[in-house]
């Protein structure tokens, strides 16, 4: 009897558990991220190591580099099998037809006084001059400010901000700041041979024995204490030093593993330089994980194209986004609260939610319909369900009158039962298999095909013309790696580029129809920041996932993205009141904010005290809208993130480089979320001045402080000398009164603030002294009230 009861209890337990699935790495399954690092440590492959600068023209900064052949050989010692890169002779026949030590193109190209480019080839390449979708103008600009001088054993180019030296024999490139401090240098064979027992792959390329394809290893030296940041929305260690990072767009199935929805081939170093790996192939970066003083950029491309940027973090981000593009300012309404769940299924659902938001005085601007607005859930056919939506166009109009925009979910994959599947296949709008068929069960749209883009944009345009404000650009990480694309390339080059093409297609048709640049996207590649905005994927509803979400937000911000959001409370399951209440102010103090995930997500579905707290946090956001809007404008113009790592504003504070559990919201507000059920926590305050608690008014000195959260469960401080613009509370950004703005001065009687009116989108800096505005550039338009 007891046994039977136990079995029954287990059966009941199993039947109530929500089983979820995710990708298991290292199993060789469909669309698993490609890690190319094993190709650089294989006994069967041939390695060509950069050896000597054989020719060089100082006027064009171009020439040729000789590469010597190596293979891994073995030696047994003390019962260990050891390996070493050993020089070898050519193995081709006839020997006179192939170069044993090829001399291949090498050039330095100057992009700006702070930026230069290293371009190298492992063989003939007729694609180097093609326009690049990753670069905002299709190609890099040319700068003529770098001055040449001959130096002992090589060549030097210098600008006002730094210099590079190219050594002849052995070939080596060294990068310096304006004070002559070495920032980094190429790691060459001479740096390692006879100096370490560890076999290190220096700067060179691999030729695979399996198919004779080639890929570069751009190996650079790491300095003691050097830290590495960026590389996209990475949820693992904030500082990538000592880690290996695979850059391959992937449905990460959460925010606590090493794969990424948003890999970006760009990073910055604490030593004052940044690197952009200009390619769309899979990349594996080893930042001293294998060998502590070498960063190995293993790039799938057979050509190497590296951009280097010199400066402080702000300057590096400005340079990188000058090259790959700065975001257009999203519409004002997008900065309001987005209400969603997975999913609202009907017009009645949507209208009820809009009504409840207004009845409960929860400020909000967007109602989002996720996967359920079609006749069949998840089956994307771009048509509202006729059985559940009586008049979607009128619904959207009614929403807009009440201060709501409408957002709709969709995806670029079409199941065989989708009514559009046959049309897509018959017209050849999909990515093709080797034989020209559909490579998956689904038809995946090929955005490298102009006909596909036109067909797709017509579908999206139909929704936008109904009055839809934004399209959710979901998925995009599963472009077939072995697929054949209309561009003439395989998925090895198109997989990572797919999110950028996808983002671009939706953003451009939205701009054409509505006049606004706005999407809500999950996947990215370099250049996607031009098409805001993006959110952090499917977080678990746990404390650790909340902390990982912040790390992802900080990292994507250090990869050129100004705007970013996340699902408040997590996505995978309904959040507990405790977690949801602490995640809410974290979400409200992000550039964009949305509640979304497994129901319930609506605040009235929880206790009255929870809803009061949720309302307080939402009210705070809407009162701060003048600050949020002005800081967003400043961020967009300068390539800065709204969710900002502390060291962006305080690069000379060593402690600021260590913080991954707090952030600057714009330049003046510091936010430290509560990642567990506590009312206080330790917070590092950067710089040398004072910080004022926004909620309590208490003043704290820079450095470590134990701080109590206020009524809203978050720690929020304002920099001494900042004036924070506020507006009177409104239930929608549509109803905000921009003719009266309150400037709250924190600390010093002398303060500054940015103000930007949505009507003209011009950024104004307001100076205050002694409780008075020194000059009001908004005179006649907006009254400024000073409070302390």
């Amino acid at each position: 009897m007891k046994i039977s009861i136990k079995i029954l209890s287990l059966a009941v337990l199993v039947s109530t558990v929500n089983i979820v699935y995710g990708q298991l790495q290292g199993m060789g399954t469909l669309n698993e991220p490609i890690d190319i690092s094993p190709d650089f440590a294989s006994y069967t492959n041939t390695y060509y190591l950069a050896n000597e600068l054989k020719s060089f023209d100082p006027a064009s900064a171009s020439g040729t580099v000789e590469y010597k052949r190596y293979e891994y050989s073995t030696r047994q010692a003390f019962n260990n099998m050891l390996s070493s890169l050993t020089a070898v002779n050519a193995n081709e026949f006839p020997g006179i037809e192939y170069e044993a030590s090829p001399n291949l193109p090498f050039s330095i190209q100057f992009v700006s006084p702070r930026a230069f480019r290293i371009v190298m080839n492992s063989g003939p390449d007729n694609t180097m001059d093609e326009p690049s979708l990753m670069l905002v103008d299709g190609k890099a600009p040319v700068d003529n400010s770098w001055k040449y001088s001959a130096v002992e054993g090589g060549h030097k180019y210098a600008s006002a901000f730094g210099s590079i030296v190219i050594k002849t024999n052995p070939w080596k490139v060294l990068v310096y700041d304006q004070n002559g401090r070495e920032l980094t240098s190429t790691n060459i064979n001479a740096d390692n041979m006879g100096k370490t027992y560890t076999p290190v792959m220096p700067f060179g390329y691999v030729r695979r024995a399996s198919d004779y394809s080639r890929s570069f290893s751009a190996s650079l030296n790491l300095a003691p204490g050097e830290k590495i940041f960026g590389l996209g929305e990475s949820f693992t260690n904030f500082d990538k030093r000592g880690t290996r990072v695979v850059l391959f767009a992937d449905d990460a199935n959460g925010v606590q593993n090493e794969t990424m929805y948003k890999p970006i081939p760009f990073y910055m170093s604490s030593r004052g330089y940044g690197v952009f790996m200009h390619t769309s192939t899979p990349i594996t970066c080893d930042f001293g994980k294998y060998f502590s003083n070498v960063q190995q950029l293993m790039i799938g491309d057979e050509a190497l194209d590296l951009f280097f940027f010199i400066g402080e973090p702000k300057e590096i981000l400005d340079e990188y986004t000058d090259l790959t593009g700065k975001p257009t300012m999203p519409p004002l309404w997008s900065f309001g609260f987005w209400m969603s769940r997975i999913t609202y299924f009907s017009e009645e659902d949507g209208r009820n939610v809009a009504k409840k938001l207004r009845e409960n005085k929860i400020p909000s601007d967007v109602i989002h319909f996720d996967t359920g607005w079609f006749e069949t859930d998840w089956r994307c056919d771009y048509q509202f369900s006729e059985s559940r939506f009586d008049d979607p166009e009128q619904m959207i109009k009614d929403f807009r009158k009440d201060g709501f925009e409408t957002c709709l979910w969709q995806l670029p994959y079409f199941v065989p039962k989708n009514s559009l599947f046959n049309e897509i296949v018959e017209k050849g709008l999909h990515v093709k298999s080797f034989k020209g068929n559909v490579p998956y069960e689904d038809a995946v749209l090929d955005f490298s095909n102009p006909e596909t883009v036109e067909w797709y944009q017509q579908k999206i345009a139909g929704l936008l013309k109904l009055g839809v404000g934004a399209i959710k650009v979901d998925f995009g990480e599963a472009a077939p790696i072995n697929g054949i694309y209309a561009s003439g390339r395989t998925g090895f080059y198109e997989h990572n580029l797919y999110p950028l093409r996808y983002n671009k297609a939706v953003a451009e048709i939205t701009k054409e129809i509505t006049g606004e640049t706005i999407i809500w996207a999950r996947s990215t590649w370099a250049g996607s920041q031009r098409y805001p905005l993006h959110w952090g994927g499917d977080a678990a509803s746990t404390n650790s996932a909340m902390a990982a979400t912040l790390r992802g937000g900080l990292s994507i911000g250090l990869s050129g993205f100004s705007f970013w959001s996340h699902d408040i409370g997590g996505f995978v399951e309904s959040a507990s009141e405790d977690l949801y209440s602490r995640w809410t102010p974290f979400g409200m103090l992000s550039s964009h904010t949305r509640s979304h995930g497994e129901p319930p997500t609506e605040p009235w579905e929880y206790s009255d005290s929870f809803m009061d707290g949720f309302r307080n946090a939402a009210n705070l956001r809407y009162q701060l809208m003048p600050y949020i809007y002005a800081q967003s404008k400043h961020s967009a113009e300068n390539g800065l993130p709204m969710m900002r790592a502390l060291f962006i504003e305080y690069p000379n504070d060593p402690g600021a480089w260590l913080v991954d559990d707090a952030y600057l919201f714009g330049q003046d507000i510091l936010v430290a979320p509560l990642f567990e059920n506590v009312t206080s926590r330790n917070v590092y305050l950067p710089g040398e001045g004072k910080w004022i608690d926004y909620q309590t008014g208490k003043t704290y000195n820079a450095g470590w402080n134990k701080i109590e959260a206020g009524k809203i469960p978050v720690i929020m401080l304002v920099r001494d000398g900042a004036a924070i613009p506020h507006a009177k509370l409104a239930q929608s950004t549509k109803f905000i009164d921009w003719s009266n703005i309150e400037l709250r001065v924190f600390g010093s009687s002398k303060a500054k603030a940015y103000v930007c009116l949505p009507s003209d989108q011009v950024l104004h800096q307001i100076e205050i002294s002694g409780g008075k505005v020194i000059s009001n550039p908004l005179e006649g338009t907006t009254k400024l009230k000073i409070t302390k």
Side-chain angles (χ1 to χ4, degrees):
M1 185 66 176
K2 291 182 179 179
I3 295 175
S4 299
I5 291 173
K6 288 182 179 179
I7 293 173
L8 178 61
S9 299
L10 180 60
V12 171
L13 176 63
V14 170
S15 68
T16 59
V17 171
N18 180 26
I19 299 175
V20 294
Y21 293 85
Q23 191 178 66
L24 187 62
Q25 300 298 307
M27 303 301 290
T29 54
L30 181 64
N31 228 6
E32 186 179 316
I34 295 177
D35 176 7
I36 65 171
S37 62
D39 295 336
F40 292 89
S42 167
Y43 291 112
T44 62
N45 294 338
T46 302
Y47 300 93
Y48 292 79
L49 309 186
N51 182 58
E52 182 180 352
L53 187 66
K54 279 296 187 180
S55 66
F56 192 74
D57 174 27
S60 63
S62 62
T64 58
V65 170
E66 177 194 59
Y67 293 81
K68 292 289 189 180
R69 292 192 190 205
Y70 287 78
E71 291 179 357
Y72 280 105
S73 61
T74 62
R75 183 183 187 185
Q76 189 275 136
F78 306 107
N79 303 310
N80 286 308
M81 188 60 70
L82 310 179
S83 300
S84 178
L85 282 166
T86 306
V88 296
N89 296 320
N91 63 346
E92 294 88 359
F93 179 85
I96 61 171
E97 303 295 341
Y98 305 94
E99 288 187 276
S101 301
N103 294 335
L104 296 166
F106 158 72
S107 67
I108 302 288
Q109 301 172 16
F110 301 103
V111 177
S112 80
R114 290 189 181 274
F116 65 92
R117 179 183 194 181
I118 295 177
V119 179
M120 306 181 80
N121 295 89
S122 64
D125 192 338
N126 59 3
T127 66
M128 289 298 292
D129 295 328
E130 292 180 358
S132 170
L133 192 62
M134 290 172 271
L135 306 183
V136 66
D137 295 321
K139 60 181 180 180
V142 176
D143 178 70
N144 296 312
S145 66
W146 294 72
K147 305 303 180 185
Y148 172 79
S149 61
V151 294
E152 184 179 354
H155 312 268
K156 180 179 179 179
Y157 294 88
S159 76
F161 302 105
S163 62
I164 56 175
V165 171
I166 306 160
K167 294 290 187 180
T168 301
N169 191 13
W171 172 86
K172 190 178 182 71
V173 177
L174 303 97
V175 183
Y176 299 90
D177 68 11
Q178 59 188 350
N179 298 316
R181 177 184 183 230
E182 183 180 321
L183 303 179
T184 191
S185 60
T186 55
N187 178 269
I188 59 173
N189 206 28
D191 293 334
N192 310 316
M193 294 297 289
K195 299 177 182 178
T196 175
Y197 293 112
T198 305
V200 178
M201 176 66 193
F203 204 106
Y205 66 90
V206 60
R207 187 185 71 190
R208 298 174 181 86
S210 60
D211 59 4
Y212 261 43
S213 63
R214 305 178 303 276
S215 294
F216 264 94
S217 171
S219 298
L220 306 172
N221 290 310
L222 283 166
E226 184 173 355
K227 298 172 177 60
I228 301 293
F229 300 92
L231 298 162
E233 187 191 59
S234 175
F235 302 108
T236 58
N237 294 12
F238 184 39
D239 175 7
K240 302 307 179 201
R241 178 73 180 263
T243 70
R244 178 175 291 178
V245 181
V246 175
L247 299 176
F248 185 92
D250 182 55
D251 183 346
N253 300 124
V255 302
Q256 292 164 272
N257 62 72
E258 62 186 354
T259 66
M260 285 185 269
Y261 303 105
K262 305 174 188 65
I264 302 295
F266 166 80
Y267 66 92
M268 67 172 66
S269 163
S270 59
R271 285 185 69 81
Y273 69 92
V275 177
F276 170 43
M277 296 162 276
H278 182 212
T279 181
S280 58
T281 63
I283 301 170
T284 298
C285 301
D286 186 311
F287 294 106
K289 180 180 186 295
Y290 171 71
F291 190 71
S292 63
N293 78 300
V294 174
Q295 49 180 311
Q296 190 178 354
L297 313 179
M298 291 164 276
I299 297 171
D301 211 321
E302 60 191 26
L304 180 68
D305 193 0
L306 296 181
F307 288 85
F308 287 79
F309 311 95
I310 299 172
E312 301 282 16
K314 278 187 176 181
E315 295 157 344
I316 291 170
L317 287 171
D318 194 32
E319 290 284 330
Y320 170 68
T321 52
D322 276 348
L323 181 68
T324 59
K326 288 180 163 64
T328 303
M329 187 70 170
L332 173 64
W333 59 260
S334 74
F335 292 94
F337 172 58
W338 298 48
M339 186 71 251
S340 178
R341 65 155 64 183
I342 184 166
T343 176
Y344 301 130
F345 284 102
S346 66
E347 181 174 333
E348 182 182 10
D349 284 351
R351 287 185 180 276
N352 284 341
V353 168
K355 181 182 178 182
K356 287 281 191 179
L357 285 164
R358 294 296 181 247
E359 285 179 350
N360 290 294
K361 297 191 180 303
I362 306 293
S364 180
D365 273 73
V366 182
I367 304 295
H368 171 68
F369 291 89
D370 214 61
T371 64
W373 61 280
F374 318 109
E375 195 61 50
T376 302
D377 192 17
W378 289 93
R379 194 182 294 171
C380 173
D381 60 4
Y382 307 105
Q383 300 292 323
F384 278 95
S385 165
E386 293 183 359
S387 66
R388 301 193 305 277
F389 289 84
D390 295 332
D391 190 344
E393 185 173 10
Q394 187 60 48
M395 177 192 72
I396 292 167
K397 288 180 180 177
D398 291 344
F399 281 170
R400 187 164 284 169
K401 285 180 184 177
D402 203 17
F404 293 106
E405 293 292 333
T406 303
C407 178
L408 298 179
W409 176 93
Q410 55 81 66
L411 82 172
Y413 315 148
F414 295 81
V415 297
K417 290 184 178 181
N418 194 307
S419 60
L420 298 172
F421 182 88
N422 289 337
E423 179 186 355
I424 291 168
V425 173
E426 289 168 5
K427 292 181 177 179
L429 305 178
H430 59 94
V431 180
K432 297 175 177 60
S433 67
F434 291 146
K435 195 176 181 180
N437 295 320
V438 177
Y440 293 164
E441 294 287 334
D442 296 354
V444 177
L445 292 181
D446 181 359
F447 290 115
S448 76
N449 183 348
E451 293 180 4
T452 302
V453 173
E454 182 181 1
W455 178 91
Y456 174 70
Q457 288 183 330
Q458 286 177 356
K459 301 295 183 185
I460 299 297
L463 300 170
L464 297 169
K465 289 174 182 178
L466 281 178
V468 171
I471 299 297
K472 182 174 175 179
V473 185
D474 206 358
F475 292 92
E477 309 94 349
I481 189 66
N482 292 320
I484 306 297
Y485 293 75
S487 64
R489 296 185 175 189
T490 70
F492 195 74
Y493 284 85
E494 285 289 345
H495 173 92
N496 280 335
L497 208 56
Y498 193 92
L500 176 57
R501 294 189 188 275
Y502 182 25
N503 293 176
K504 180 175 184 287
V506 181
E508 288 184 344
I509 192 61
T510 302
K511 176 72 172 178
E512 180 182 325
I513 301 298
T514 70
E516 297 175 334
T517 302
I518 179 69
I519 62 175
W520 189 277
R522 190 174 78 174
S523 58
T524 69
W525 190 247
S528 286
Q529 73 275 2
R530 303 194 295 263
Y531 311 112
L533 58 105
H534 300 81
W535 100 100
D538 300 343
S541 301
T542 64
N543 288 333
S544 58
M546 181 182 173
T549 293
L550 175 53
R551 292 195 298 273
L554 292 173
S555 291
I556 193 75
L558 292 169
S559 306
F561 286 72
S562 296
F563 305 113
W564 178 83
S565 186
H566 47 99
D567 292 341
I568 297 176
F571 174 86
V572 177
E573 60 181 346
S574 57
S576 68
E577 279 202 4
D578 165 54
L579 178 69
Y580 202 176
S581 65
R582 290 182 282 106
W583 203 318
T584 295
F586 171 36
M588 294 295 177
L589 297 173
S590 300
S591 86
H592 290 77
T593 182
R594 181 181 77 160
S595 284
H596 177 68
E598 284 294 319
T601 57
E602 300 77 18
W604 52 86
E605 297 290 347
Y606 292 81
S607 69
D608 289 344
S609 62
F610 172 86
M611 186 165 68
D612 289 342
F614 191 98
R615 183 188 300 111
N616 289 338
N619 288 349
L620 170 66
R621 179 176 183 83
Y622 276 72
Q623 290 170 317
L624 282 172
M625 197 57 68
Y627 174 81
I628 294 170
Y629 195 75
Q631 290 290 320
S632 293
K633 180 66 173 176
H634 181 262
S635 296
E637 290 182 349
N638 294 278
L640 295 171
M642 272 295 286
M643 181 176 285
R644 198 168 299 179
L646 271 55
F647 63 75
I648 293 180
E649 295 290 339
Y650 299 93
N652 296 319
D653 182 342
W657 293 85
L658 304 176
V659 176
D660 67 356
D661 61 356
Y663 61 96
L664 292 166
F665 185 43
Q667 62 183 14
D668 293 326
I669 295 176
L670 186 147
V671 180
L674 302 178
F675 294 111
E676 54 185 318
N677 187 9
V678 295
T679 59
S680 65
R681 55 162 286 191
N682 291 315
V683 181
Y684 184 81
L685 304 180
E688 299 178 350
K690 297 182 182 297
W691 292 81
I692 298 91
D693 191 308
Y694 181 92
Q695 299 190 75
T696 67
K698 292 182 180 178
T699 299
Y700 297 90
N701 292 320
W704 284 105
N705 292 268
K706 184 72 174 287
I707 303 177
E708 286 282 334
K711 181 179 179 181
I712 298 172
V714 71
I715 294 165
M716 178 180 173
L717 300 107
V718 180
R719 180 181 56 81
D720 183 15
I724 307 298
H726 289 67
K728 185 178 179 180
L729 179 62
Q731 292 301 299
S732 167
T733 59
K734 183 178 181 179
F735 307 132
I736 290 177
D737 177 11
W738 291 87
S739 65
N740 291 281
I741 291 179
E742 175 191 0
L743 295 174
R744 295 188 191 175
V745 177
F746 288 79
S748 173
S749 60
K750 290 186 177 181
K752 294 180 180 180
Y754 283 121
V755 175
C756 180
L757 302 182
S759 56
D760 61 11
Q761 292 196 22
V762 176
L763 192 65
H764 302 280
Q765 189 172 65
I766 311 296
E767 295 189 19
I768 299 164
S769 181
K772 295 181 179 180
V773 175
I774 294 176
S775 63
N776 181 8
L778 304 173
E779 193 79 48
T781 303
T782 300
K783 294 180 181 178
L784 301 176
K785 178 184 177 182
I786 310 300
T787 60
K788 187 172 175 65

